[in-house]
């Protein structure tokens, strides 16, 4: 359960996938305080089993290329370690020390601070008399009968919470603090390993399409399921022409324009792609949606040279980038109204907020796609380009007359989700 050395051998990819997905589900439920609701296969989580190790090391590999995923995973993984430690039997504890010492023979750098600390702590607590004391009845919750020390910088969380006393650059570890120190070392050890393997992990994922697929799968699972607003979005390539009626005017405009001229300028494409992604469109649908349009000859007035066939790699890379699967693997968020309202400096840019920067005829045309003529006339009279979000909220209210609540529009995505709810 203190993972230092990855297992070797061959295993089917579908088993790897199961080890990873079941582990993720379990640690999330543990984090939420309801591990009893776990519906997966506990076989994949049996402590010290090969499956247990595979689940851990594959997740470590995948998390090492994304800070966001790492932050999510390490908190839950450490909680799993702590839970196991809380229920550990004396003989299992002894085996844990021996296992860490045995695995630590693999350390290339035995004098590195974290490695040396791990060896020192396990050597100390596995000494016959010390071990006998820590599993005896005399050893209470606050026992300070025995003690050792570690460098203070190796257990920063415990120092910060003032859980250990300091003396000349060392943190004093009383026997009652053993589990807390092990937990802290677990976190520090993995964090350090992840930093070391970052570039090699990136290379491995670039070379192995199966791991890349798994990364995408868990990334969407974690970040879409944990953001309830994303969970509700349901845009697909198939339903987009119907779903567009629920989009705010800025995004309706981009969809209509794309369908008409089959091209969008860079920022319009960027913002619209992110809106679709956060609105629930899956990667495969996004690729097919853009491919369909960019495979058609453009009918815009510019000399656009973009074409799916000749730029396929570039387009694929760019869409995957928006989904956090390439380059910095950043999880880009869809734009806010503020960004939409201030991003129209280029003459090529056809996006922006219609309530702020479109001429009255274009705005009128857009409004008339959803509203009857008298509503359009009345609305246009009451609009002000100075307050586009208020205008957008008025438009929303006309479309949702049954909803008496006032709404403040902050982003196209929020508008869309409010529409479909
Ligand atoms: Fe889009 Fe926001 Fe403008 Fe509404 S106010 S049209 S959501 S940018």
């Amino acid at each position: 359960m203190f993972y230092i050395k990855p297992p070797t051998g061959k295993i089917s990819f579908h088993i790897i996938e199961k080890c990873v997905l079941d582990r993720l589900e379990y640690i999330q439920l543990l984090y939420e305080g309801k591990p009893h609701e776990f519906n997966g296969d506990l076989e994949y989580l049996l402590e010290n089993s090969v499956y247990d190790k595979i689940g851990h090391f594959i997740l470590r590999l995948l998390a090492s290329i994304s800070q966001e995923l790492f932050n999510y995973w390490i908190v839950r993984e450490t909680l799993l370690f702590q839970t196991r430690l809380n229920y550990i039997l004396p003989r299992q504890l002894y085996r844990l020390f021996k296992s860490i010492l045995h695995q630590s023979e693999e350390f290339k750098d035995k004098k590195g601070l974290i490695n040396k600390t791990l060896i020192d702590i396990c050597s100390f607590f596995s000494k016959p008399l010390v071990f006998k004391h820590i599993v005896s009845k005399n050893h209470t919750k606050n026992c300070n009968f025995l003690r050792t020390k570690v460098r203070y910088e190796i257990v920063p969380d415990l120092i910060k919470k003032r859980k250990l006393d300091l003396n000349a650059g060392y943190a004093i570890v009383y026997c009652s603090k053993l589990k807390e120190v092990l937990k802290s070392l677990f976190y520090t050890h993995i964090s350090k390993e992840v930093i070391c393997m970052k570039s090699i992990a990136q290379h491995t994922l670039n070379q192995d399409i199966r791991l890349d697929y798994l990364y995408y799968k868990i990334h969407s699972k974690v970040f879409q399921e944990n953001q309830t607003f994303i969970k509700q979005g349901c845009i697909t390539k198939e339903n987009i022409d119907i779903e567009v009626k629920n989009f705010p005017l800025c995004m309706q405009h981009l969809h209509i324009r794309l369908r008409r001229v089959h091209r969008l300028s860079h920022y319009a494409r960027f913002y619209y792609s992110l809106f679709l992604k956060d609105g629930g469109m899956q990667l495969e649908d996004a690729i097919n949606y853009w491919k369909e349009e960019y495979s058609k000859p453009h009918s815009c007035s510019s000399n656009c040279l973009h074409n799916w066939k000749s730029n396929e790699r570039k387009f694929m890379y760019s869409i995957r980038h928006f989904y956090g699967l390439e380059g910095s693997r950043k999880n880009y968020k869809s734009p806010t109204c503020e960004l939409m309202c201030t991003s129209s400096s280029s003459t090529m840019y056809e996006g922006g907020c219609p309530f702020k920067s479109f001429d009255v005829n274009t705005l009128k045309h857009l409004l008339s796609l959803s509203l009857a003529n008298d509503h359009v006339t009345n609305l246009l009279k009451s609009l002000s380009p100075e307050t586009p979000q208020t205008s957008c909220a008025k438009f929303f209210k006309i479309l949702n007359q049954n909803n008496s609540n006032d709404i403040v529009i902050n982003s196209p995505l929020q508008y869309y989700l409010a529409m479909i709810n």
Side-chain angles (χ1 to χ4, degrees), residues 230-243:
I230 290 177
K231 205 160 61 173
Q232 296 154 356
C234 54
I235 308 168
T236 67
K237 179 178 172 292
E238 260 52 62
N239 72 11
I240 192 165
D241 290 308
I242 297 169
E243 202 62 16

Side-chain angles (χ1 to χ4, degrees), residues 31-164:
Y31 184 74
E32 289 170 12
K34 42 187 187 187
H36 51 279
E37 289 183 16
F38 179 61
N39 283 324
D41 197 336
L42 276 170
E43 190 187 356
Y44 296 108
L45 287 143
L46 280 183
E47 223 172 295
N48 292 326
S49 67
V50 177
Y51 291 158
D52 177 44
K53 290 178 188 166
I54 289 171
H56 171 87
F57 278 102
I58 295 287
L59 274 168
R60 191 192 286 190
L61 176 80
L62 302 179
S64 65
I65 59 162
S66 157
Q67 188 62 42
E68 201 176 19
L69 184 58
F70 175 75
N71 293 344
Y72 171 90
W73 170 71
I74 190 65
V75 173
R76 287 153 183 82
E77 189 71 30
T78 308
L79 181 63
L80 175 65
F81 177 72
Q82 183 188 4
T83 309
R84 287 172 166 179
L85 213 49
N86 287 345
Y87 293 102
I88 202 164
L89 298 171
R91 65 187 153 79
Q92 292 172 319
L93 181 61
Y94 188 75
R95 225 182 281 147
L96 175 65
F97 294 141
K98 290 294 167 191
S99 156
I100 294 175
L101 288 171
H102 178 66
Q103 292 182 79
S104 63
E105 283 164 17
E106 300 283 320
F107 288 149
K108 288 189 192 96
D109 176 16
K110 287 200 176 57
K111 291 197 176 138
L113 193 51
I114 174 70
N115 300 346
K116 184 176 173 318
T117 310
L118 266 174
I119 295 170
D120 289 350
I121 284 283
C122 292
S123 304
F124 176 78
F125 281 99
S126 59
K127 282 180 189 166
L129 286 177
V130 178
F131 187 75
K132 202 170 166 191
H133 168 72
I134 60 172
V135 296
S136 72
K137 285 195 183 115
N138 300 334
H139 179 64
T140 56
K141 230 169 85 188
N142 297 316
C143 182
N144 54 10
F145 181 62
L146 295 170
R147 66 183 211 174
T148 182
K149 59 184 183 178
V150 297
R151 286 293 307 172
Y152 79 94
E153 58 268 44
I154 210 76
V155 283
D157 52 330
L158 299 180
I159 298 296
K160 197 171 154 196
K161 290 181 199 158
R162 296 173 192 263
K163 293 209 168 178
L164 300 179

Side-chain angles (χ1 to χ4, degrees), residues 167-362:
N167 184 7
Y170 284 88
I172 307 301
V173 181
Y174 290 112
C175 46
S176 55
K177 300 289 179 199
L178 167 67
K179 290 184 180 173
E180 286 181 74
V181 169
L182 278 177
K183 180 186 149 198
S184 179
L185 294 177
F186 179 85
Y187 181 95
T188 309
H189 167 70
I190 296 178
S191 306
K192 180 185 146 278
E193 288 293 302
V194 159
I195 292 170
C196 294
M197 66 196 284
K198 210 174 179 124
S199 63
I200 204 155
Q202 182 72 65
H203 179 72
T204 309
L205 255 77
N206 290 345
Q207 298 297 314
D208 193 328
I209 194 164
R210 298 164 309 164
L211 288 173
D212 199 32
Y213 152 83
L214 193 55
Y215 172 83
Y216 170 64
K217 194 162 180 175
I218 65 168
H219 196 277
S220 358
K221 190 174 162 64
V222 168
F223 295 111
Q224 297 198 3
E225 284 187 3
N226 282 291
Q227 296 173 40
T228 47
F229 70 86
I230 290 177
K231 205 160 61 173
Q232 296 154 356
C234 54
I235 308 168
T236 67
K237 179 178 172 292
E238 260 52 62
N239 72 11
I240 192 165
D241 290 308
I242 297 169
E243 202 62 16
V244 68
K245 69 175 189 316
N246 294 319
F247 292 4
L249 286 193
C250 52
M251 295 299 162
Q252 278 194 30
H253 169 70
L254 294 179
H255 175 75
I256 294 166
R257 185 160 169 92
L258 180 64
R259 285 287 195 228
R260 188 159 57 83
V261 303
H262 315 302
R263 300 292 184 276
L264 288 179
S265 66
H266 174 76
Y267 278 105
R269 203 166 66 233
F270 182 53
Y271 295 143
Y272 186 42
S273 295
L274 295 180
F275 168 77
L276 295 179
K277 179 190 77 152
D278 285 352
M281 187 179 263
Q282 296 295 306
L283 175 69
E284 209 176 322
D285 267 10
I287 291 173
N288 289 327
Y289 174 63
W290 291 100
K291 181 178 179 177
E292 184 179 303
E293 293 305 328
Y294 273 70
S295 298
K296 295 174 185 166
H298 76 82
S299 51
C300 44
S301 48
S302 73
N303 295 326
C304 177
L305 296 173
H306 288 122
N307 171 286
W308 188 273
K309 204 170 169 193
S310 48
N311 299 96
E312 178 160 2
R313 276 173 69 92
K314 205 172 129 198
F315 281 124
M316 291 283 281
Y317 181 89
S318 136
I319 297 170
R320 287 170 54 79
H321 190 203
F322 299 158
Y323 277 74
L325 295 168
E326 299 286 356
S328 58
R329 295 187 182 252
K330 194 172 157 192
N331 185 23
Y332 290 103
K333 297 275 184 288
S334 56
T336 58
C337 293
E338 204 180 332
L339 188 61
M340 292 294 291
C341 288
T342 53
S343 60
S344 55
S345 53
S346 159
T347 49
M348 298 289 291
Y349 181 62
E350 63 284 68
C353 176
F355 293 109
K356 180 168 177 69
S357 41
F358 285 20
D359 64 69
V360 71
N361 287 334
T362 316

